[in-house]
Amino acid sequence: MVLSTGTNKTKTAVFISGAGSNLKSLIKFSKLKKSPISVNLIITNNKLAKGLKYGSIFQIKKKIINFKNKEIAEKKILNELKKNKIELICLAGFMKILSKNFIMNFKGKILNIHPSLLPKYKGLNTHQRAIDNKDKYSGCTVHFVNSKLDSGKIILQKRVNINKNDSSDSLAKRILAQEHKLYPKAILKIFSP
Ligand code: GAR
């Protein structure tokens, strides 16, 4: 992946819509010496997103963007990204679909984490669908974002067993714990020569 290297870390924006536990893990990772990224901006479509608290805790700039009009929202975001010299975007529980035009502006520089073993279970309700299909395992995937939903090139995946008594919530919890490890690993992978 062609991203800026050298002594400075790659300026990264994390997009969230909810709890932000992946945001937290990315911020913690970014503080390690071995991390090639710094988290400089948090973008959300949801002013009530619990994850916004990590912006305050770690003193990272936050921007709440109203998505009523997607075109205007994306223009505002692109503006913020430019202003903050952002070079990489990590989607982390961001529940809006970005337009083709937006993605083209950051081609090859947007990552996403998805709670299934893609290409299985694109979209929503991944855990319940895996349980309903009586799958023996599910997992999570970090991938590049392209213009098709949950379809870009896969960087890393982690498998998680589904137990007999698993509910969607219990499975989600175990997969989320793996997501927190997988996202940093995937970032290290794309930066390694
Ligand atoms: C995570 O499980 C993430 O994989 C999923 O939302 C959750 C966000 O949790 N993302 C998607 O479903 C994207 N389609 P978090 O806010 O605690 O990081």
Side-chain angles (χ1 to χ4, degrees):
M1 184 188 205
V2 189
L3 285 164
S4 72
T5 47
T7 47
N8 291 329
K9 294 190 176 188
T10 293
K11 289 192 167 61
T12 301
V14 182
F15 289 26
I16 64 166
S17 297
S21 68
N22 277 294
L23 164 66
K24 184 184 174 196
S25 97
L26 286 175
I27 295 172
K28 289 201 154 171
F29 166 67
S30 75
K31 308 228 176 258
L32 302 178
K33 203 170 167 208
K34 69 172 179 182
S35 166
I37 66 158
S38 59
V39 178
N40 298 72
L41 182 63
I42 298 164
I43 300 269
T44 188
N45 62 304
N46 174 14
K47 62 174 193 257
L48 300 176
K50 291 217 172 81
L52 282 172
K53 70 175 179 219
Y54 298 116
S56 314
I57 295 171
F58 294 99
Q59 295 184 332
I60 296 167
K61 196 169 168 186
K62 301 169 275 188
K63 277 282 155 188
I64 299 162
I65 306 283
N66 185 331
F67 260 74
K68 246 184 192 162
N69 181 321
K70 185 147 125 176
E71 209 181 317
I72 294 173
E74 290 188 342
K75 266 195 189 142
K76 280 188 187 159
I77 295 177
L78 283 172
N79 208 22
E80 280 301 321
L81 298 175
K82 212 171 168 186
K83 222 165 70 189
N84 291 282
K85 299 189 166 54
I86 297 298
E87 302 155 290
L88 178 71
I89 295 172
C90 291
L91 306 182
F94 184 64
M95 302 316 250
K96 291 283 175 190
I97 295 173
L98 296 165
S99 72
K100 208 172 178 170
N101 175 59
F102 184 95
I103 293 164
M104 286 311 287
N105 268 283
F106 261 78
K107 202 165 177 251
K109 294 176 180 185
I110 309 179
L111 312 180
N112 182 41
I113 187 148
H114 183 76
S116 78
L117 291 175
L118 290 172
K120 266 197 154 182
Y121 310 127
K122 296 172 184 177
L124 299 174
N125 292 323
T126 55
H127 309 305
Q128 193 57 53
R129 284 151 71 201
I131 290 169
D132 290 348
N133 280 342
K134 304 199 176 352
D135 290 354
K136 295 248 179 323
Y137 54 85
S138 186
C140 44
T141 303
V142 178
H143 64 95
F144 287 106
V145 171
N146 66 10
S147 54
K148 280 195 196 139
L149 182 70
D150 299 328
S151 296
K153 187 170 179 252
I154 290 170
I155 302 163
L156 273 183
Q157 295 187 300
K158 175 73 185 177
R159 195 195 263 208
V160 174
N161 286 333
I162 299 179
N163 300 333
K164 261 200 187 129
N165 301 324
D166 258 332
S167 63
S168 170
D169 282 353
S170 63
L171 179 59
K173 211 169 159 185
R174 284 206 315 289
I175 291 180
L176 195 59
Q178 294 305 320
E179 291 183 34
H180 300 155
K181 297 182 198 164
L182 194 70
Y183 219 154
K185 264 194 196 166
I187 289 171
L188 282 174
K189 185 174 173 194
I190 61 169
F191 278 88
S192 63

